[in-house]
Amino acid sequence: MNLDFEKQGGLIPAIIQDNTTGKVLMLGFMNQEAFNKTQEIGKVTFYSRTRKCLWTKGETSGNFLNVVSIKEDCDSDTLLIKVNPVGPVCHTGADTCFGETNQMDGLAFIKYLQDFIDKRYQEMPEGSYTTSLFKKGINRMAQKVGEEAVETVIEATNGTEEGFVYEASDLIYHLIVLLTSKGMRIETLGEELKKRHK
């Protein structure tokens, strides 16, 4: 990155966003030294304009901002830093410096689950149900999707709302496992549905 620190007197704004929820958590400022330290330690480090020194967010509270990715804007004078936060971000104890609750909604969790299943596929840890499905092969994974689909239909027609939600959730989970084994993601289906929506 060729960042333009001089445009704003040696500092550039850094927008901090939760990598999982997409919520904007806070805005801070970095000089070149803070930016370098952030890259070096993998935890967001700012330049404090009031104290005139570097500070790593969380160094006293333990509420670190663990860096996932750093992107510069089109003018190279602003950063977007995606993080996995540890605890609340604001000094007031709030989740964000804008007073918003930083929780994963259901759709964000499905993406998180897809990422988790991708990781299981790459690492294949012993003792994991997901690993056992991958090891049993495509036929067993497809069979499980079929079984869960039948159970979802039964609950929808003759069961309870709670049972229906439970079985439909099983169906989605097993479908994501099957998609992963085929080198696809749940977003692949989203793209197909988007095309059909025209």
Side-chain angles (χ1 to χ4, degrees):
M1 286 185 200
N2 188 21
L3 298 169
D4 188 353
F5 286 95
E6 297 313 310
K7 186 186 285 186
Q8 299 178 73
L11 298 176
I12 58 172
I15 301 161
I16 310 301
Q17 182 182 32
D18 188 299
N19 186 58
T20 304
T21 67
K23 289 274 189 183
V24 174
L25 303 175
M26 67 176 293
L27 172 71
F29 291 86
M30 292 183 174
N31 61 8
Q32 182 73 61
E33 188 181 3
F35 176 70
N36 292 346
K37 186 170 182 184
T38 296
Q39 289 188 302
E40 178 188 330
I41 67 173
K43 297 181 187 314
V44 176
T45 300
F46 296 108
Y47 178 78
S48 170
R49 294 170 296 164
T50 53
R51 291 179 287 156
K52 308 294 186 206
C53 64
L54 297 187
W55 64 283
T56 299
K57 180 77 174 95
E59 61 193 359
T60 54
S61 66
N63 297 335
F64 292 104
L65 299 171
N66 296 313
V67 175
V68 175
S69 66
I70 301 175
K71 292 183 181 175
E72 62 185 305
D73 77 339
C74 56
D75 294 322
S76 298
D77 62 3
T78 303
L79 292 170
L80 174 63
I81 303 179
K82 294 187 179 183
V83 302
N84 290 325
V86 178
V89 171
C90 187
H91 71 282
T92 64
D95 286 354
T96 79
C97 290
F98 304 100
E100 294 186 306
T101 301
N102 185 30
Q103 290 183 344
M104 193 182 321
D105 65 17
L107 285 176
F109 180 78
I110 289 176
K111 181 184 180 304
Y112 169 83
L113 179 62
Q114 174 70 76
D115 292 341
F116 182 84
I117 290 171
D118 282 349
K119 191 172 180 190
R120 281 286 195 258
Y121 189 60
Q122 292 160 8
E123 297 175 356
M124 294 289 200
E126 290 300 321
S128 159
Y129 174 69
T130 306
T131 298
S132 72
L133 287 172
F134 286 131
K135 287 185 173 180
K136 287 175 182 170
I138 195 81
N139 289 345
R140 180 60 182 144
M141 286 181 272
Q143 182 184 6
K144 282 299 291 179
V145 170
E147 289 172 7
E148 298 302 339
V150 169
E151 290 171 10
T152 300
V153 169
I154 291 168
E155 282 295 331
T157 55
N158 294 308
T160 63
E161 284 187 18
E162 183 181 333
F164 172 67
V165 169
Y166 185 88
E167 295 301 340
S169 298
D170 276 353
L171 174 60
I172 296 296
Y173 161 77
H174 285 91
L175 181 59
I176 293 173
V177 171
L178 181 61
L179 284 164
T180 302
S181 73
K182 301 286 285 180
M184 300 177 200
R185 288 177 56 92
I186 193 72
E187 293 92 336
T188 309
L189 305 186
E191 288 300 318
E192 175 62 23
L193 291 168
K194 187 168 74 173
K195 282 192 286 187
R196 295 182 191 184
H197 188 64
K198 292 180 181 177

